[in-house]
Amino acid sequence: MQMPLLALGAALSLLAAAPAGAAGEGGAAHHGVAHAGTPAPVSGPGAELIGRPAPAWSFERWIRTAPLSLESLRGRVVLMRWWTDGCHYCAATLPTLESLRERHAKAGLVVIGAYHPKPPREVSDRRIVAVANQLGFEGPIAVDREWSTLERYWLGGHPERTWTSVSFLIDRAGNIRWLHGGGEYHASTDPRHASCDLEYRELEKILAATLAEPAPAPAAP
């Protein structure tokens, strides 16, 4: 797998050091809305999704929680990341998701780890929980066994999108506010992970703005 390629000029100097790729992953993209209702001037894979309503999801089952839906989470902010076992980038990022979950739960953040086995197949809850615990994630887990929701959110109709470890930030009204097209993001002072740190700081900024927004008014009966 290749390291994700940033759309920011500050990351261009890192590209020469990116490791050689492996089957199943490709160039990643990240985009966001820095201020309420004001899309950032972004381009690249997934840019057209920013500001749009998040698609409904259809996971086979849930672990550590009763089934959740976008409608049931209206008024909350949702950060969802697809992950799997044997993924170096997931292992590097899930501790960051757990930290965000712990810090912002009282402010209305729900962090969902969407498990997608590679290749698509049945994996026991016991195995999934064991891997999540090993990676340091204790939040709710959605099982996307056949990748049906991943297809709906990201892969469907886009053969150029070969990363599957993608993330979406969804605001209180159910709109996509930020996305990360695969790979890792986390705080780091290591120059080799400057792009990871930059993407994490962008997420922190957009997450703070999104959490500060009021919940939408209830729909009229």
Side-chain angles (χ1 to χ4, degrees):
M1 291 186 289
Q2 292 181 326
M3 290 290 289
L5 306 185
L6 279 169
L8 303 175
L12 293 178
S13 61
L14 299 174
L15 299 185
E25 298 286 6
H30 75 287
H31 309 293
V33 177
H35 303 285
T38 306
V42 296
S43 61
E48 73 281 1
L49 300 175
I50 300 300
R52 291 185 180 180
W57 54 58
S58 54
F59 297 112
E60 278 79 8
R61 65 186 186 277
W62 291 80
I63 303 173
R64 295 176 172 162
T65 181
L68 301 174
S69 67
L70 273 175
E71 186 59 31
S72 70
L73 293 173
R74 185 176 174 84
R76 309 287 292 275
V77 175
V78 178
L79 176 59
M80 182 161 60
R81 157 87 181 205
W82 272 264
W83 66 281
T84 193
D85 38 0
C87 170
H88 163 77
Y89 302 107
C90 303
T93 302
L94 258 62
T96 289
L97 299 185
E98 178 62 20
S99 176
L100 292 173
R101 188 184 73 84
E102 292 178 347
R103 284 161 46 199
H104 299 295
K106 291 183 179 179
L109 177 65
V110 176
V111 179
I112 297 171
Y115 177 80
H116 66 300
K118 286 187 175 184
R121 68 193 189 282
E122 182 56 47
V123 179
S124 70
D125 289 4
R126 182 177 180 180
R127 168 64 181 171
I128 295 170
V129 169
V131 176
N133 288 342
Q134 181 181 7
L135 298 182
F137 181 68
E138 300 180 5
I141 299 171
V143 180
D144 199 8
R145 185 184 64 205
E146 303 300 326
W147 298 19
S148 58
T149 299
L150 180 59
E151 286 281 341
R152 190 176 307 125
Y153 266 71
W154 186 245
L155 297 178
H158 294 278
E160 77 282 1
R161 297 179 184 175
T162 53
W163 283 88
T164 60
S165 53
V166 295
S167 303
F168 289 82
L169 181 68
I170 303 168
D171 68 16
R172 299 183 192 274
N175 300 312
I176 296 171
R177 296 291 294 273
W178 174 88
L179 69 86
H180 186 274
E184 62 186 277
Y185 50 90
H186 49 79
S188 179
T189 57
D190 186 338
R192 295 172 297 177
H193 289 277
S195 62
C196 305
D197 184 73
L198 197 61
E199 291 175 329
Y200 172 68
R201 301 302 174 190
E202 178 189 343
L203 170 59
E204 277 196 317
K205 178 180 179 181
I206 297 171
L207 176 59
T210 305
L211 286 172
E213 296 169 5

